[in-house]
């Protein structure tokens, strides 16, 4: 008998990954990333951080780091 995953064209590892992602708490963020890349199966993965400060006051206006993104590709400072 053929397993349902293989009959759908998915190997067990891919199926396991798909189920893990679909069941994750941050699935909405995953889904957003999939839509923004047009469903690309091999998008470019950029890692890093950015910090925007007010030049006059030095106040941090915005900060962003990829370490909190789904799929986790944390940026490590060297």
């Amino acid at each position: 008998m053929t397993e349902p995953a293989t009959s759908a064209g998915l190997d067990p590892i891919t199926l396991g990954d798909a189920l893990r992602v679909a069941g994750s708490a941050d699935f909405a963020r995953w889904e957003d990333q999939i839509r923004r890349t047009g469903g690309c199966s091999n998008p470019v993965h950029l890692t890093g951080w950015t910090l925007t400060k007010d030049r006059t006051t030095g106040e941090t206006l915005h900060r962003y780091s990829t370490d909190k993104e789904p799929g986790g590709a944390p940026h490590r400072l060297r």
Side-chain angles (χ1 to χ4, degrees), residues 29-30 33-34 36-48 64 66 69-71 73:
R29 183 67 180 123
W30 276 98
Q33 287 180 334
I34 292 167
R36 291 174 66 198
T37 61
C40 180
S41 63
N42 194 19
V44 173
H45 295 277
L46 300 176
T47 61
Y64 170 79
T66 58
E69 290 295 334

Side-chain angles (χ1 to χ4, degrees), residues 45-67:
H45 295 277
L46 300 176
T47 61
W49 58 272
T50 182
L51 183 66
T52 306
K53 290 192 168 213
D54 183 296
R55 286 185 180 184
T56 305
T57 66
E59 175 189 4
T60 298
L61 302 174
H62 178 76
R63 77 176 61 209
Y64 170 79
S65 175
T66 58
D67 65 352

